[in-house]
């Protein structure tokens, strides 16, 4: 686990890395390309698992030995148990744990590792939230109060799953277009928290959200009593006096 500059959590933990969504603005892919290596995998695992990799031990002492190809780092599963002080942990910040290419077995092993360290709060985030529903139907989606399930949403018209599960949140980052001032999907579904952020990195200045876009999301959230957390990337747009940094629990890291 690593300390992080992500404002809404204390640490990141990456038992799985890599993603196949191919988002052009993906910061995680840039990190993997910068600090990783493209090493050969002679295990035969990728041939049997559609190109995915499995590592029982560190490989060449590199965090991304296959760059951004999906990789299960099984040796990291016990990391949450080593941290006794309660933390809010963003699980798989360098992957989409619920991508279609990720085997159920990987996900279940990550869930079981979380259960072994119940002192922490675990935040999951995906662009494929239908996988939550599939896992729930199979009886594999934990219902612990410390588990939070999020969906990355770029458009108000993006389809996403909420069902009746508790502890759900939206991450609207980057905010790329205007949302209506009354967003029915938030009002009619069980959404417990909303995170908003702007695009960062190369070329991001051409894709910054307008202030009224942010205010529309906030208005809908407030009507429904949903707390909002604005990332620091919105400071140039909102100004410190209008920044909201609300959590759905009493305080960050508690």
């Amino acid at each position: 686990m690593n300390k992080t500059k992500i404002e809404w959590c204390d640490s990141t933990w990456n038992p799985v890395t890599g993603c196949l969504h191919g988002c052009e603005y993906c910061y995680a892919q840039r990190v993997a390309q910068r600090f990783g290596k493209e090493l050969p995998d002679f295990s035969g695992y990728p041939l049997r698992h559609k190109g995915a990799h499995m590592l029982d031990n560190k490989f060449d002492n590199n965090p991304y030995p296959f760059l951004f190809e999906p990789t299960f780092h099984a040796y990291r599963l016990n990391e949450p148990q080593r941290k006794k002080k309660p933390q809010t942990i963003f699980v798989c910040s360098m992957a989409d744990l619920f991508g279609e290419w990720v085997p159920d077995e990987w996900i279940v092993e990550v869930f079981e590792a979380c259960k072994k360290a119940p002192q922490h709060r675990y935040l999951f985030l995906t662009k494929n939230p239908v996988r939550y529903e599939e896992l729930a139907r199979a009886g594999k989606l934990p219902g612990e109060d410390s588990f939070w399930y999020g969906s990355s949403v770029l458009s108000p018209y993006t389809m996403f799953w909420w069902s009746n599960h508790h502890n759900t949140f939206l991450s609207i980052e980057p905010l790329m277009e205007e949302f209506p001032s009354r967003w029915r999907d938030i009002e009619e579904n069980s959404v417990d928290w909303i995170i908003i952020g702007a695009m960062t990195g190369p070329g991001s200045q051409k894709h910054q959200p307008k202030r009224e876009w942010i205010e529309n999301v906030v208005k809908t959230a407030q009507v429904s009593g949903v707390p909002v957390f604005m990332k620091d990337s919105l400071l140039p747009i909102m100004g410190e006096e209008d920044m909201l940094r609300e959590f759905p629990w009493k305080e960050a890291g508690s």
Side-chain angles (χ1 to χ4, degrees):
M1 290 199 324
N2 298 302
K3 291 184 178 180
T4 180
K5 294 182 180 179
I6 299 174
E7 303 96 310
W8 44 265
C9 62
D10 301 314
S11 301
T12 58
W13 172 47
N14 284 285
V16 175
T17 59
C19 183
L20 300 180
H21 286 311
C23 303
E24 61 180 350
Y25 49 80
C26 180
Y27 80 93
Q29 184 169 6
R30 295 198 302 268
V31 170
Q33 293 287 343
R34 179 180 178 185
F35 296 104
K37 295 181 181 179
E38 190 170 6
L39 299 173
D41 186 341
F42 299 116
S43 68
Y45 190 91
L47 295 176
R48 301 189 302 272
H49 296 84
K50 301 180 180 179
H53 305 272
M54 164 79 88
L55 292 175
D56 290 323
N57 299 287
K58 290 183 180 180
F59 187 14
D60 196 46
N61 201 32
N62 192 280
Y64 314 109
F66 310 113
L67 297 180
F68 211 49
E69 294 179 5
T71 305
F72 184 29
H73 304 260
Y75 59 91
R76 295 178 179 169
L77 287 174
N78 64 350
E79 290 181 356
Q81 296 180 65
R82 298 176 185 172
K83 303 291 184 181
K84 302 305 179 184
K85 182 179 178 180
Q87 299 186 35
T88 296
I89 301 172
F90 179 12
V91 181
C92 293
S93 63
M94 292 294 297
D96 190 332
L97 181 61
F98 303 93
E100 294 178 356
W101 55 87
V102 179
D104 278 8
E105 292 76 14
W106 292 11
I107 300 173
V108 170
E109 287 200 53
V110 172
F111 285 158
E112 291 303 314
C114 295
K115 292 177 183 179
K116 291 178 181 178
Q119 68 271 28
H120 305 307
R121 180 184 297 112
Y122 299 97
L123 276 59
F124 303 91
L125 187 59
T126 182
K127 287 185 172 66
N128 186 37
V130 70
R131 192 73 180 274
Y132 293 148
E133 184 174 17
E134 294 170 356
L135 290 164
R137 285 201 302 263
K140 298 177 180 179
L141 192 73
E144 278 81 349
D145 287 340
S146 58
F147 284 53
W148 285 75
Y149 300 102
S151 176
S152 293
V153 177
L154 303 183
S155 163
Y157 312 106
T158 301
M159 297 298 293
F160 54 90
W161 166 85
W162 289 124
S163 186
N164 293 318
H165 203 285
H166 70 301
N167 291 0
T168 57
F169 67 98
L170 294 178
S171 176
I172 309 175
E173 183 190 7
L175 177 57
M176 298 288 287
E177 62 178 280
E178 184 175 10
F179 282 59
S181 57
R182 297 296 299 272
W183 186 11
R184 183 166 49 185
D185 287 324
I186 291 179
E187 296 174 357
E188 294 183 356
N189 290 274
S190 176
V191 180
D192 300 304
W193 190 30
I194 297 175
I195 300 168
I196 313 174
M199 183 185 290
T200 59
S204 61
Q205 291 304 312
K206 297 180 180 179
H207 302 282
Q208 294 299 291
K210 297 179 181 179
R211 183 184 177 100
E212 55 264 32
W213 298 359
I214 303 167
E215 291 173 341
N216 278 351
V217 175
V218 171
K219 183 184 300 183
T220 295
Q222 290 178 337
V223 166
S224 302
V226 178
V228 173
F229 188 97
M230 296 181 183
K231 296 194 66 175
D232 287 349
S233 57
L234 298 181
L235 267 170
I237 303 168
M238 298 301 297
E240 180 62 49
E241 66 278 3
D242 292 325
M243 289 287 287
L244 295 176
R245 296 185 177 91
E246 302 170 337
F247 290 90
W249 45 83
K250 290 184 179 180
E251 60 183 38
S254 65

